[in-house]
Each structure stands twice: as structure tokens, then as C-alpha cells.
Amino acid sequence: MADDSVIKMANQLAEECLAVQKQTGEDRLFMEVGNVLGASSQTLEEAFLTAIRTRMAEQKGRQFLAARLKKHRAEQGG
């Protein structure tokens, strides 16, 4: 398990990477960043990829719930 400072760095980098991905439309940019990190620190690479994946999973979960609610409301006529 990575120490707290590595996790903090990984979380900050993940947030920045997702923001750049959104602006540029490069949805796999995080993989390139992971490769860059892995060349220097496998520990930071793993923490970063975990941070990215959990955030992306959360986004997909929220999108799923929003779509489900939209469908339900349409079926209810409201």
C-alpha cells in the first residue's frame, strides 16, 4: 500500500488528468500518463490508475442512474 503522500499526489494528478481529458476529448489520456509514471515509479502509477478508474467508474454509475431516472420519468409521463 502506498503512503499517504503518494495517494494524495495520485488523486490530484487523476483530477487534473480527467479535466484535461474532458477538454481535449482524449478519453484514454490516462493510459499515456500511467505509462509516463510507470517509467519512474510503479507505486505512483498504480495509485494513479486506481484513482482514475474509481473516478471513471463513479461517473459511469452516475450516468447510469441519470438515464434510469429519465426513463422512469418518461414512463410515468412526467
Side-chain angles (χ1 to χ4, degrees):
M1 181 84 186
D3 67 31
D4 289 342
S5 63
V6 172
I7 293 171
K8 183 177 178 181
M9 286 186 284
N11 285 332
Q12 289 174 337
L13 190 55
E15 293 292 337
E16 292 172 26
C17 182
L18 288 172
V20 172
Q21 281 186 191
K22 186 175 182 180
Q23 283 187 354
T24 63
E26 295 179 68
D27 63 347
R28 303 296 286 176
L29 179 63
F30 75 95
M31 295 299 293
E32 293 179 48
V33 174
N35 289 335
V36 170
L37 295 174
S40 301
S41 171
Q42 186 177 11
T43 301
L44 183 55
E45 175 194 20
E46 290 173 0
F48 168 75
L49 291 175
T50 297
I52 284 286
R53 288 182 179 125
T54 55
R55 283 162 176 77
M56 291 174 74
E58 184 222 7
Q59 290 172 0
K60 287 185 184 280
R62 289 185 183 281
Q63 290 168 355
F64 172 81
L65 287 174
R68 181 61 62 97
L69 184 57
K70 183 179 179 180
K71 179 182 174 187
H72 172 74
R73 288 179 176 163
E75 290 171 350
Q76 299 300 311

